[in-house]
Amino acid sequence: MAVMSRASVAVVGPGNVGTDLLVKLLRSEHLDLRYVVGVDPASDGFSLARESGVATSAEGVDWLLSRADLPELVFDATSAAAHLVNAPRYAEAGVRVVDLTPAAAGPFVCPAVNLDRHASAPNLSLISCGGQAAVPMVRAVSRVAPVIYAEVVTCVASRSVGPGARANIDEFTATTARALESVGGAGRGKAIVILNPVEPPVVMRDTVFCAIPADSDQGEITSSILRAVAEVRRYAPGYALRAEPQFDGPRPEWRGLARVAVFLVVRGRGDYLPPYAGNLDIMTGAAVRVAESLVRERVGAL
Amino acid sequence: MRTSTAASDPVRIVDSTLRDGSHALSHQFTEGQVRAVVHALDAAGVPAIEVSHGDGLGGSSFNYGFGLEDEIGLVAAAVQEASRAEIAVRLVPGVSTIEDLRAAHEVGAGVARIATYCTEADVSVQHFRAAADLGMRAVGFLMFAHHASPRALARQARIMVDSGAECVYVADSAGALALATVQERVAALVREIGADAEVGFHGHQNLSLGVANSVLAYHTGARWIDGALCSLGAGAGNASIEVLVPVFERLGVPTGVDGAAVLAAAADVVAPMVQRAQAGPGAGLPAGQSGGFSSFLRHAQRAANRYDIPVHEIMHRVGEAGYVGGQEDVIIDVALRILDERDAVGTVRSNR
């Protein structure tokens, strides 16, 4: 049996998301974390990377792309604006990128829904934490009944949201809403995000509402949702329903449509920030899952 | 009471009947109603009128309740109706987007009122920049101001001013501030941003202190004061504009607003629109006491009916759990937990 080679990867942006990802990458059997780069020497992830023997630089993408030994794949955990600047440079260097910012430069990927669809794309967008939580639920409903409109309300602990994400809240809402449509299958999508500063920090939660025809099969929808939750838990084990899906009958103010509401809690594995930061865990869990699947495909093709 | 004869600084009265007030009507204002209210306020000399879904542009949703009409259409109608007043829109980053602001600007909105939770001002930086790019006036709103110390609140106000706010409000969203706690916060903001921007106050009636708090805010240096006709607003409602105006007049503070005209606007235009009485301090009191968000009240009432649980039990639980403004979705979850606990208690009892 041939020894499977590990793919060399880099993390750009060692803030909250990047550092949580780094911890997961150090555990991966298929991914070899070679570089961690950023622009702020004080970034959280640098010392952790150095302790683990990973090369670091605060000179950003310039430094990374001038390595003789380029990584096969980059995880971008910077900000939407920075990603849009860097994306063409990765493309030029022939380095694939998994984008954890809400820049939406490449096709949207949610591992539980469309992992295989975009296997050859050079730039894959992981949407947003709210998108990773909500899209599988919207898709679970839309494969049973038409979803005329879908809405997600994401609430995360203030402490888990770093400066990059704070500067990008508009991209977060716009990108998440679009993914509810294009990946979730909703006619129209809407996203709302709330940062809650209460101490002790609150665990990430998401409520997903779908407008559906009054005669939709509630039993089928519920079992489809349960299957989708199990699928997401393969890479984000703290993803769970807080209650049974709630069905409400049609109302005039809902234009005669009925509604299903799904109440989710997303607990993290505490890799970097404590378990309340499920928003980091579902993104980085999805990122590792996507990258490992790309690597397996590459090995399979040999 | 005799007041000083020295000339006082004028106060800028801003009306929020058609934004915060829409909570009281579950966001069901019609275009005709918007036109009638704007016409009356404009004629009375109110210089700025806010028109948006109660939870801000884009608030029309399952979570907050769907608006009856397209809100950009309502903003356009307000702009057409106003001859002097500026039309303001409310932007809540995380709910409203820059796209929403552009749409409102296109139909003539002149002021962007950008609101964040009192500790999260940095999420609004990109929205202030967008307002400046559009050539709109930009005003900041620090909601739930009772949840931050005066010093912390002032630091957050500084972020908004540095991003382009010409005024930052102490927004007592839960109606939980009382007299001195308003003054401490307004004073801290005046100290921090007074040289660069003005300070505003947005009062709620949960403790029946909306007007008194507004007057104290003025005396501490706030120059923009919000109100609404008939006290319309989330929870127990806002400070009434038809009371604020004569009170300021009596204190010798120029408002530029015709007191008799706003009183008539309240009685003849808005009162007939109100389907049920504004929840008085009695119903809104739990929000004022627990510091829960006033806008939760109607949603809690709906969940109380749907799941047959007392509304005060839901409101109490929501306050206790530390949920913040915007998290209306948790109300159903809280109701389900209360039901679960009852079932569990029932099981234990039946096992005895």
Side-chain angles (χ1 to χ4, degrees), chain B residues 238-284:
Chain B
N238 288 295
S240 329
I241 248 181
E242 66 274 23
V243 179
L244 279 173
V245 169
V247 167
F248 276 120
E249 260 165 30
R250 179 161 297 203
L251 297 171
V253 178
T255 62
V257 179
D258 179 341
V262 279
L263 194 58
D268 303 339
V269 181
V270 173
M273 294 175 188
V274 183
Q275 36 180 281
R276 47 204 150 178
Q278 171 74 56

mmCIF file of all heavy atoms in Angstrom, chain B residues 238-284:
data_model
loop_
_atom_site.group_PDB
_atom_site.id
_atom_site.type_symbol
_atom_site.label_atom_id
_atom_site.label_comp_id
_atom_site.label_asym_id
_atom_site.label_seq_id
_atom_site.Cartn_x
_atom_site.Cartn_y
_atom_site.Cartn_z
ATOM 1 N N ASN B 238 -42.051 55.624 23.678
ATOM 2 C CA ASN B 238 -41.033 56.668 23.812
ATOM 3 C C ASN B 238 -41.568 57.862 24.587
ATOM 4 O O ASN B 238 -42.760 57.972 24.846
ATOM 5 C CB ASN B 238 -40.617 57.136 22.413
ATOM 6 C CG ASN B 238 -39.777 56.097 21.694
ATOM 7 O OD1 ASN B 238 -38.669 55.791 22.124
ATOM 8 N ND2 ASN B 238 -40.303 55.530 20.636
ATOM 9 N N ALA B 239 -40.666 58.787 24.892
ATOM 10 C CA ALA B 239 -41.090 60.078 25.441
ATOM 11 C C ALA B 239 -42.053 60.710 24.432
ATOM 12 O O ALA B 239 -41.774 60.710 23.243
ATOM 13 C CB ALA B 239 -39.871 60.966 25.643
ATOM 14 N N SER B 240 -43.197 61.241 24.906
ATOM 15 C CA SER B 240 -44.150 61.836 23.956
ATOM 16 C C SER B 240 -43.629 63.164 23.478
ATOM 17 O O SER B 240 -43.281 64.015 24.278
ATOM 18 C CB SER B 240 -45.513 62.164 24.548
ATOM 19 O OG SER B 240 -45.873 61.360 25.519
ATOM 20 N N ILE B 241 -43.696 63.347 22.188
ATOM 21 C CA ILE B 241 -43.263 64.611 21.595
ATOM 22 C C ILE B 241 -44.212 65.744 22.000
ATOM 23 O O ILE B 241 -43.785 66.868 22.238
ATOM 24 C CB ILE B 241 -43.157 64.435 20.072
ATOM 25 C CG1 ILE B 241 -41.703 64.511 19.688
ATOM 26 C CG2 ILE B 241 -43.969 65.433 19.313
ATOM 27 C CD1 ILE B 241 -41.416 64.375 18.260
ATOM 28 N N GLU B 242 -45.512 65.412 22.114
ATOM 29 C CA GLU B 242 -46.470 66.466 22.449
ATOM 30 C C GLU B 242 -46.343 66.904 23.904
ATOM 31 O O GLU B 242 -46.900 67.917 24.303
ATOM 32 C CB GLU B 242 -47.906 66.034 22.099
ATOM 33 C CG GLU B 242 -48.478 64.885 22.894
ATOM 34 C CD GLU B 242 -48.135 63.502 22.328
ATOM 35 O OE1 GLU B 242 -47.126 63.377 21.602
ATOM 36 O OE2 GLU B 242 -48.872 62.545 22.635
ATOM 37 N N VAL B 243 -45.591 66.138 24.707
ATOM 38 C CA VAL B 243 -45.281 66.579 26.078
ATOM 39 C C VAL B 243 -43.889 67.228 26.114
ATOM 40 O O VAL B 243 -43.694 68.268 26.742
ATOM 41 C CB VAL B 243 -45.365 65.401 27.073
ATOM 42 C CG1 VAL B 243 -45.030 65.870 28.487
ATOM 43 C CG2 VAL B 243 -46.751 64.763 27.033
ATOM 44 N N LEU B 244 -42.942 66.634 25.408
ATOM 45 C CA LEU B 244 -41.574 67.187 25.389
ATOM 46 C C LEU B 244 -41.571 68.657 24.968
ATOM 47 O O LEU B 244 -40.896 69.484 25.593
ATOM 48 C CB LEU B 244 -40.703 66.406 24.399
ATOM 49 C CG LEU B 244 -40.108 65.074 24.844
ATOM 50 C CD1 LEU B 244 -39.427 64.395 23.650
ATOM 51 C CD2 LEU B 244 -39.105 65.269 25.990
ATOM 52 N N VAL B 245 -42.329 68.983 23.918
ATOM 53 C CA VAL B 245 -42.268 70.334 23.354
ATOM 54 C C VAL B 245 -42.743 71.378 24.366
ATOM 55 O O VAL B 245 -42.003 72.333 24.668
ATOM 56 C CB VAL B 245 -43.026 70.412 22.009
ATOM 57 C CG1 VAL B 245 -43.190 71.862 21.557
ATOM 58 C CG2 VAL B 245 -42.285 69.598 20.942
ATOM 59 N N PRO B 246 -43.952 71.227 24.953
ATOM 60 C CA PRO B 246 -44.353 72.237 25.946
ATOM 61 C C PRO B 246 -43.471 72.252 27.195
ATOM 62 O O PRO B 246 -43.272 73.318 27.793
ATOM 63 C CB PRO B 246 -45.798 71.867 26.298
ATOM 64 C CG PRO B 246 -46.047 70.522 25.724
ATOM 65 C CD PRO B 246 -45.053 70.297 24.644
ATOM 66 N N VAL B 247 -42.936 71.109 27.591
ATOM 67 C CA VAL B 247 -42.053 71.093 28.770
ATOM 68 C C VAL B 247 -40.792 71.911 28.482
ATOM 69 O O VAL B 247 -40.386 72.751 29.282
ATOM 70 C CB VAL B 247 -41.701 69.647 29.182
ATOM 71 C CG1 VAL B 247 -40.540 69.629 30.184
ATOM 72 C CG2 VAL B 247 -42.916 68.949 29.783
ATOM 73 N N PHE B 248 -40.187 71.684 27.328
ATOM 74 C CA PHE B 248 -38.989 72.471 26.999
ATOM 75 C C PHE B 248 -39.340 73.960 26.904
ATOM 76 O O PHE B 248 -38.582 74.813 27.354
ATOM 77 C CB PHE B 248 -38.335 71.967 25.708
ATOM 78 C CG PHE B 248 -37.417 70.791 25.928
ATOM 79 C CD1 PHE B 248 -37.640 69.570 25.303
ATOM 80 C CD2 PHE B 248 -36.313 70.908 26.773
ATOM 81 C CE1 PHE B 248 -36.789 68.493 25.515
ATOM 82 C CE2 PHE B 248 -35.453 69.829 26.989
ATOM 83 C CZ PHE B 248 -35.699 68.608 26.359
ATOM 84 N N GLU B 249 -40.508 74.254 26.327
ATOM 85 C CA GLU B 249 -40.909 75.663 26.222
ATOM 86 C C GLU B 249 -41.021 76.292 27.599
ATOM 87 O O GLU B 249 -40.553 77.400 27.835
ATOM 88 C CB GLU B 249 -42.253 75.762 25.497
ATOM 89 C CG GLU B 249 -42.064 76.140 24.041
ATOM 90 C CD GLU B 249 -43.313 75.890 23.214
ATOM 91 O OE1 GLU B 249 -44.429 75.993 23.783
ATOM 92 O OE2 GLU B 249 -43.161 75.573 22.014
ATOM 93 N N ARG B 250 -41.655 75.540 28.514
ATOM 94 C CA ARG B 250 -41.839 76.057 29.869
ATOM 95 C C ARG B 250 -40.493 76.318 30.534
ATOM 96 O O ARG B 250 -40.343 77.213 31.353
ATOM 97 C CB ARG B 250 -42.635 75.039 30.682
ATOM 98 C CG ARG B 250 -42.867 75.463 32.100
ATOM 99 C CD ARG B 250 -43.997 74.695 32.720
ATOM 100 N NE ARG B 250 -45.265 74.944 32.046
ATOM 101 C CZ ARG B 250 -46.443 74.773 32.617
ATOM 102 N NH1 ARG B 250 -46.519 74.345 33.861
ATOM 103 N NH2 ARG B 250 -47.549 75.005 31.954
ATOM 104 N N LEU B 251 -39.480 75.538 30.153
ATOM 105 C CA LEU B 251 -38.148 75.705 30.737
ATOM 106 C C LEU B 251 -37.321 76.740 29.969
ATOM 107 O O LEU B 251 -36.141 76.936 30.254
ATOM 108 C CB LEU B 251 -37.411 74.356 30.748
ATOM 109 C CG LEU B 251 -38.060 73.264 31.607
ATOM 110 C CD1 LEU B 251 -37.382 71.919 31.365
ATOM 111 C CD2 LEU B 251 -37.987 73.626 33.086
ATOM 112 N N GLY B 252 -37.955 77.375 28.984
ATOM 113 C CA GLY B 252 -37.243 78.405 28.233
ATOM 114 C C GLY B 252 -36.256 77.860 27.218
ATOM 115 O O GLY B 252 -35.326 78.552 26.810
ATOM 116 N N VAL B 253 -36.455 76.611 26.808
ATOM 117 C CA VAL B 253 -35.544 76.007 25.823
ATOM 118 C C VAL B 253 -36.222 76.027 24.454
ATOM 119 O O VAL B 253 -37.270 75.399 24.275
ATOM 120 C CB VAL B 253 -35.215 74.545 26.203
ATOM 121 C CG1 VAL B 253 -34.302 73.911 25.157
ATOM 122 C CG2 VAL B 253 -34.585 74.478 27.586
ATOM 123 N N PRO B 254 -35.656 76.749 23.487
ATOM 124 C CA PRO B 254 -36.299 76.814 22.175
ATOM 125 C C PRO B 254 -36.290 75.453 21.466
ATOM 126 O O PRO B 254 -35.268 74.761 21.450
ATOM 127 C CB PRO B 254 -35.445 77.809 21.385
ATOM 128 C CG PRO B 254 -34.488 78.418 22.352
ATOM 129 C CD PRO B 254 -34.405 77.531 23.548
ATOM 130 N N THR B 255 -37.443 75.079 20.907
ATOM 131 C CA THR B 255 -37.539 73.813 20.166
ATOM 132 C C THR B 255 -37.778 74.054 18.680
ATOM 133 O O THR B 255 -37.556 73.153 17.867
ATOM 134 C CB THR B 255 -38.725 72.966 20.676
ATOM 135 O OG1 THR B 255 -39.930 73.703 20.440
ATOM 136 C CG2 THR B 255 -38.608 72.657 22.158
ATOM 137 N N GLY B 256 -38.291 75.235 18.351
ATOM 138 C CA GLY B 256 -38.651 75.497 16.956
ATOM 139 C C GLY B 256 -39.899 74.745 16.531
ATOM 140 O O GLY B 256 -40.260 74.731 15.351
ATOM 141 N N VAL B 257 -40.561 74.080 17.472
ATOM 142 C CA VAL B 257 -41.734 73.268 17.145
ATOM 143 C C VAL B 257 -42.967 73.919 17.770
ATOM 144 O O VAL B 257 -42.921 74.430 18.882
ATOM 145 C CB VAL B 257 -41.563 71.824 17.683
ATOM 146 C CG1 VAL B 257 -42.798 70.977 17.376
ATOM 147 C CG2 VAL B 257 -40.307 71.182 17.094
ATOM 148 N N ASP B 258 -44.075 73.893 17.026
ATOM 149 C CA ASP B 258 -45.338 74.468 17.483
ATOM 150 C C ASP B 258 -46.045 73.463 18.407
ATOM 151 O O ASP B 258 -46.509 72.413 17.950
ATOM 152 C CB ASP B 258 -46.181 74.773 16.240
ATOM 153 C CG ASP B 258 -47.556 75.356 16.594
ATOM 154 O OD1 ASP B 258 -48.001 75.198 17.755
ATOM 155 O OD2 ASP B 258 -48.167 75.953 15.689
ATOM 156 N N GLY B 259 -46.087 73.785 19.685
ATOM 157 C CA GLY B 259 -46.634 72.867 20.692
ATOM 158 C C GLY B 259 -48.079 72.493 20.422
ATOM 159 O O GLY B 259 -48.468 71.320 20.557
ATOM 160 N N ALA B 260 -48.890 73.486 20.025
ATOM 161 C CA ALA B 260 -50.304 73.199 19.772
ATOM 162 C C ALA B 260 -50.449 72.267 18.574
ATOM 163 O O ALA B 260 -51.309 71.373 18.550
ATOM 164 C CB ALA B 260 -51.056 74.506 19.524
ATOM 165 N N ALA B 261 -49.572 72.453 17.584
ATOM 166 C CA ALA B 261 -49.666 71.635 16.368
ATOM 167 C C ALA B 261 -49.277 70.181 16.639
ATOM 168 O O ALA B 261 -49.891 69.263 16.090
ATOM 169 C CB ALA B 261 -48.783 72.235 15.265
ATOM 170 N N VAL B 262 -48.271 69.946 17.486
ATOM 171 C CA VAL B 262 -47.925 68.544 17.761
ATOM 172 C C VAL B 262 -48.992 67.888 18.632
ATOM 173 O O VAL B 262 -49.284 66.695 18.490
ATOM 174 C CB VAL B 262 -46.520 68.317 18.395
ATOM 175 C CG1 VAL B 262 -45.441 68.339 17.350
ATOM 176 C CG2 VAL B 262 -46.225 69.263 19.526
ATOM 177 N N LEU B 263 -49.597 68.679 19.505
ATOM 178 C CA LEU B 263 -50.680 68.134 20.330
ATOM 179 C C LEU B 263 -51.838 67.700 19.426
ATOM 180 O O LEU B 263 -52.402 66.611 19.584
ATOM 181 C CB LEU B 263 -51.135 69.198 21.331
ATOM 182 C CG LEU B 263 -52.018 68.714 22.476
ATOM 183 C CD1 LEU B 263 -51.312 67.629 23.280
ATOM 184 C CD2 LEU B 263 -52.377 69.883 23.391
ATOM 185 N N ALA B 264 -52.144 68.543 18.439
ATOM 186 C CA ALA B 264 -53.217 68.209 17.497
ATOM 187 C C ALA B 264 -52.829 66.996 16.651
ATOM 188 O O ALA B 264 -53.660 66.123 16.373
ATOM 189 C CB ALA B 264 -53.513 69.414 16.604
ATOM 190 N N ALA B 265 -51.565 66.927 16.265
ATOM 191 C CA ALA B 265 -51.108 65.778 15.461
ATOM 192 C C ALA B 265 -51.288 64.485 16.248
ATOM 193 O O ALA B 265 -51.701 63.453 15.707
ATOM 194 C CB ALA B 265 -49.638 65.963 15.067
ATOM 195 N N ALA B 266 -50.977 64.537 17.531
ATOM 196 C CA ALA B 266 -51.122 63.346 18.366
ATOM 197 C C ALA B 266 -52.598 62.964 18.474
ATOM 198 O O ALA B 266 -52.969 61.802 18.255
ATOM 199 C CB ALA B 266 -50.533 63.603 19.752
ATOM 200 N N ALA B 267 -53.430 63.939 18.779
ATOM 201 C CA ALA B 267 -54.845 63.644 19.053
ATOM 202 C C ALA B 267 -55.611 63.305 17.780
ATOM 203 O O ALA B 267 -56.418 62.371 17.764
ATOM 204 C CB ALA B 267 -55.484 64.837 19.750
ATOM 205 N N ASP B 268 -55.371 64.052 16.705
ATOM 206 C CA ASP B 268 -56.214 63.914 15.519
ATOM 207 C C ASP B 268 -55.645 62.939 14.486
ATOM 208 O O ASP B 268 -56.391 62.348 13.714
ATOM 209 C CB ASP B 268 -56.398 65.285 14.838
ATOM 210 C CG ASP B 268 -56.992 66.303 15.793
ATOM 211 O OD1 ASP B 268 -57.620 65.867 16.794
ATOM 212 O OD2 ASP B 268 -56.795 67.514 15.577
ATOM 213 N N VAL B 269 -54.317 62.819 14.434
ATOM 214 C CA VAL B 269 -53.715 61.997 13.371
ATOM 215 C C VAL B 269 -53.295 60.624 13.901
ATOM 216 O O VAL B 269 -53.647 59.597 13.326
ATOM 217 C CB VAL B 269 -52.501 62.719 12.726
ATOM 218 C CG1 VAL B 269 -51.901 61.864 11.617
ATOM 219 C CG2 VAL B 269 -52.914 64.088 12.201
ATOM 220 N N VAL B 270 -52.552 60.592 14.990
ATOM 221 C CA VAL B 270 -51.979 59.309 15.421
ATOM 222 C C VAL B 270 -52.929 58.517 16.318
ATOM 223 O O VAL B 270 -53.079 57.301 16.129
ATOM 224 C CB VAL B 270 -50.604 59.519 16.102
ATOM 225 C CG1 VAL B 270 -50.084 58.219 16.716
ATOM 226 C CG2 VAL B 270 -49.602 60.038 15.069
ATOM 227 N N ALA B 271 -53.593 59.186 17.259
ATOM 228 C CA ALA B 271 -54.456 58.438 18.193
ATOM 229 C C ALA B 271 -55.453 57.531 17.459
ATOM 230 O O ALA B 271 -55.609 56.366 17.838
ATOM 231 C CB ALA B 271 -55.147 59.384 19.156
ATOM 232 N N PRO B 272 -56.102 58.007 16.388
ATOM 233 C CA PRO B 272 -57.052 57.124 15.707
ATOM 234 C C PRO B 272 -56.396 55.911 15.021
ATOM 235 O O PRO B 272 -57.075 54.941 14.696
ATOM 236 C CB PRO B 272 -57.693 58.036 14.646
ATOM 237 C CG PRO B 272 -57.402 59.421 15.075
ATOM 238 C CD PRO B 272 -56.123 59.364 15.826
ATOM 239 N N MET B 273 -55.083 55.949 14.798
ATOM 240 C CA MET B 273 -54.400 54.832 14.116
ATOM 241 C C MET B 273 -54.047 53.704 15.080
ATOM 242 O O MET B 273 -53.729 52.605 14.657
ATOM 243 C CB MET B 273 -53.058 55.309 13.529
ATOM 244 C CG MET B 273 -53.161 56.313 12.418
ATOM 245 S SD MET B 273 -51.487 56.853 11.965
ATOM 246 C CE MET B 273 -51.919 58.177 10.825
ATOM 247 N N VAL B 274 -54.036 54.033 16.337
ATOM 248 C CA VAL B 274 -53.518 53.053 17.293
ATOM 249 C C VAL B 274 -54.599 52.023 17.577
ATOM 250 O O VAL B 274 -55.631 52.315 18.160
ATOM 251 C CB VAL B 274 -53.046 53.743 18.588
ATOM 252 C CG1 VAL B 274 -52.437 52.740 19.548
ATOM 253 C CG2 VAL B 274 -52.041 54.828 18.254
ATOM 254 N N GLN B 275 -54.340 50.792 17.120
ATOM 255 C CA GLN B 275 -55.340 49.721 17.179
ATOM 256 C C GLN B 275 -55.637 49.319 18.624
ATOM 257 O O GLN B 275 -56.748 49.021 18.984
ATOM 258 C CB GLN B 275 -54.834 48.526 16.376
ATOM 259 C CG GLN B 275 -53.327 48.359 16.517
ATOM 260 C CD GLN B 275 -52.768 47.186 15.732
ATOM 261 O OE1 GLN B 275 -52.877 46.075 16.158
ATOM 262 N NE2 GLN B 275 -52.175 47.431 14.581
ATOM 263 N N ARG B 276 -54.606 49.268 19.439
ATOM 264 C CA ARG B 276 -54.832 48.980 20.859
ATOM 265 C C ARG B 276 -53.992 49.989 21.615
ATOM 266 O O ARG B 276 -53.051 50.548 21.072
ATOM 267 C CB ARG B 276 -54.421 47.548 21.192
ATOM 268 C CG ARG B 276 -53.084 47.201 20.619
ATOM 269 C CD ARG B 276 -52.862 45.731 20.401
ATOM 270 N NE ARG B 276 -51.953 45.636 19.253
ATOM 271 C CZ ARG B 276 -51.472 44.542 18.762
ATOM 272 N NH1 ARG B 276 -51.824 43.399 19.264
ATOM 273 N NH2 ARG B 276 -50.654 44.543 17.744
ATOM 274 N N ALA B 277 -54.318 50.176 22.868
ATOM 275 C CA ALA B 277 -53.593 51.175 23.642
ATOM 276 C C ALA B 277 -52.119 50.801 23.691
ATOM 277 O O ALA B 277 -51.766 49.624 23.752
ATOM 278 C CB ALA B 277 -54.159 51.234 25.048
ATOM 279 N N GLN B 278 -51.269 51.800 23.625
ATOM 280 C CA GLN B 278 -49.843 51.588 23.843
ATOM 281 C C GLN B 278 -49.696 50.881 25.190
ATOM 282 O O GLN B 278 -50.337 51.255 26.157
ATOM 283 C CB GLN B 278 -49.155 52.955 23.897
ATOM 284 C CG GLN B 278 -47.712 52.918 24.316
ATOM 285 C CD GLN B 278 -46.832 52.372 23.212
ATOM 286 O OE1 GLN B 278 -46.830 52.890 22.106
ATOM 287 N NE2 GLN B 278 -46.107 51.311 23.503
ATOM 288 N N ALA B 279 -48.884 49.822 25.206
ATOM 289 C CA ALA B 279 -48.661 49.130 26.472
ATOM 290 C C ALA B 279 -48.170 50.151 27.487
ATOM 291 O O ALA B 279 -47.175 50.828 27.248
ATOM 292 C CB ALA B 279 -47.614 48.039 26.283
ATOM 293 N N GLY B 280 -48.875 50.320 28.572
ATOM 294 C CA GLY B 280 -48.509 51.327 29.565
ATOM 295 C C GLY B 280 -47.338 50.847 30.386
ATOM 296 O O GLY B 280 -46.834 49.741 30.179
ATOM 297 N N PRO B 281 -46.914 51.672 31.342
ATOM 298 C CA PRO B 281 -45.778 51.286 32.171
ATOM 299 C C PRO B 281 -46.000 49.926 32.841
ATOM 300 O O PRO B 281 -45.056 49.181 33.046
ATOM 301 C CB PRO B 281 -45.703 52.404 33.203
ATOM 302 C CG PRO B 281 -46.316 53.579 32.512
ATOM 303 C CD PRO B 281 -47.385 53.026 31.625
ATOM 304 N N GLY B 282 -47.247 49.585 33.142
ATOM 305 C CA GLY B 282 -47.515 48.291 33.781
ATOM 306 C C GLY B 282 -46.967 47.146 32.963
ATOM 307 O O GLY B 282 -46.178 46.339 33.444
ATOM 308 N N ALA B 283 -47.336 47.101 31.678
ATOM 309 C CA ALA B 283 -46.903 45.999 30.824
ATOM 310 C C ALA B 283 -45.418 46.103 30.491
ATOM 311 O O ALA B 283 -44.729 45.099 30.333
ATOM 312 C CB ALA B 283 -47.720 45.990 29.538
ATOM 313 N N GLY B 284 -44.932 47.339 30.377
ATOM 314 C CA GLY B 284 -43.536 47.523 29.983
ATOM 315 C C GLY B 284 -42.581 47.442 31.155
ATOM 316 O O GLY B 284 -41.381 47.320 30.981
#
